[in-house]
Amino acid sequence: MAARKPAARKKTTTTRRKPVKRTSAVRKPRATNRKEKLAIWAATKIGEQAEKHTQTVMSRKDAAILRMTHEGCPRCKGNGQIFTKGKDGSFTGSKPCPAKPTKAKAGRMRVALAARFGADKNTGLVGWTCPCGTKEKPRYRDARMATAALRTHERKKHGGKSVGGAWYGQIPQQAASDTPAPPPPAPVSKTVENSGLTDQEWEKQNTPLTPAAAAKKGLCWCCGGQGRLFTAFGGDHAVVVCNICRGTGQPTNTPATTNA
């Protein structure tokens, strides 16, 4: 009788190992006195600042590439990404520009210069502010990364509780200048015929307050809060809207006064 073959053993499936963070192989120096502790602390701080600066420069390069490849884009105004706003005008988030890039390439030298020099080096990046006075200039690629940095600050300084911090984004100067400011209302004047007053009596209707006294009372220094001026010349009487406060009577720029 033929011998029975042993049954094949079932191989146990190996459990998938989770990726473990690699530990640094660099031997950390051990301080034995106060001077060495101070030197290690200073070297650690310098290394942290250098790493932070490297990350900031890389973010600036990414933003510069987006600006150059979306130059002239009507959708994002050349920013490469779109900052969304709420009804109150505050920033609520950011998203990549869905439009097709206007250019295929961005020069390496132009990108390096735009990331280190010029007023637009932080354009397209996001920063955050905290009511406690701490803030970071725009250095993050999007609102999600800036929010994560703000939450880290709140864990370290405010016990993990939100105190009302917010983030903000920097847009290109060209996009800001493209939005025209509303023109101020033109002053209106009115000519009064047969007022029955002399020129002196007509002009006497102006405020008796001096510019310093009007400014002290919180009124427009020119019209004294009336919002209009009474002028007379050769028997022609007119009422002119104050050109300083635009008829509101509210204070604007108070003229400098000298004490005699």
Side-chain angles (χ1 to χ4, degrees):
M1 189 173 180
R4 285 181 68 182
K5 293 182 179 180
R9 295 180 60 184
K10 292 183 180 180
K11 293 183 178 180
T12 56
T13 56
T14 57
T15 57
R16 187 177 179 182
R17 295 182 178 180
K18 295 182 180 179
V20 182
K21 186 178 179 181
R22 294 182 63 182
T23 57
S24 177
V26 180
R27 182 177 175 272
K28 295 182 180 179
R30 232 178 191 181
T32 56
N33 53 40
R34 190 172 180 180
K35 288 184 179 179
E36 290 181 356
K37 288 181 180 180
L38 184 61
I40 293 173
W41 175 85
T44 305
K45 289 297 179 182
I46 292 173
E48 290 176 356
Q49 292 298 323
E51 184 180 2
K52 184 177 178 180
H53 176 70
T54 302
Q55 294 174 353
T56 303
V57 172
M58 294 304 296
S59 297
R60 289 176 182 174
K61 285 184 176 181
D62 294 342
I65 292 172
L66 284 177
R67 289 200 308 271
M68 292 175 187
T69 53
H70 284 260
E71 188 175 356
C73 176
R75 192 77 176 268
C76 62
K77 306 295 183 183
N79 192 28
Q81 64 174 333
I82 299 173
F83 293 134
T84 57
K85 293 184 179 181
K87 294 182 178 179
D88 57 348
S90 60
F91 287 100
T92 57
S94 61
K95 60 181 181 179
C97 179
K100 187 178 180 180
T102 56
K103 294 182 179 180
K105 289 185 178 181
R108 183 182 297 180
M109 186 59 67
R110 288 184 59 200
V111 170
L113 292 175
R116 289 173 172 83
F117 307 102
D120 282 340
K121 64 181 181 180
N122 292 328
T123 297
L125 302 180
V126 182
W128 58 268
T129 59
C130 182
C132 71
T134 308
K135 66 177 182 179
E136 267 195 311
K137 293 181 179 180
R139 58 180 295 266
Y140 298 99
R141 283 298 301 120
D142 51 22
R144 181 178 57 84
M145 298 178 66
T147 304
L150 177 60
R151 296 293 176 262
T152 302
H153 164 76
E154 289 174 347
R155 284 196 303 270
K156 291 182 178 179
K157 301 296 181 181
H158 305 289
K161 295 181 180 179
S162 177
V163 292
W167 63 269
Y168 62 98
Q170 183 170 328
I171 59 176
Q173 292 183 353
Q174 183 180 0
S177 61
D178 288 345
T179 307
V188 250
S189 60
K190 179 182 177 182
T191 304
V192 180
E193 298 179 357
N194 302 324
S195 63
L197 301 175
T198 64
D199 291 353
Q200 290 78 11
E201 291 173 342
W202 181 260
E203 291 181 344
K204 203 172 182 179
Q205 298 179 85
N206 290 316
T207 177
L209 298 174
T210 61
K216 191 175 182 180
K217 290 188 175 183
L219 304 173
C220 174
W221 63 269
C222 185
C223 63
Q226 293 183 359
R228 61 188 187 276
L229 301 171
F230 297 88
T231 62
F233 181 75
D236 297 330
H237 300 167
V239 181
V240 182
V241 175
C242 179
N243 194 28
I244 303 299
C245 64
R246 298 288 178 176
T248 61
Q250 300 299 321
T252 51
N253 294 328
T254 307
T257 56
T258 56
N259 296 327

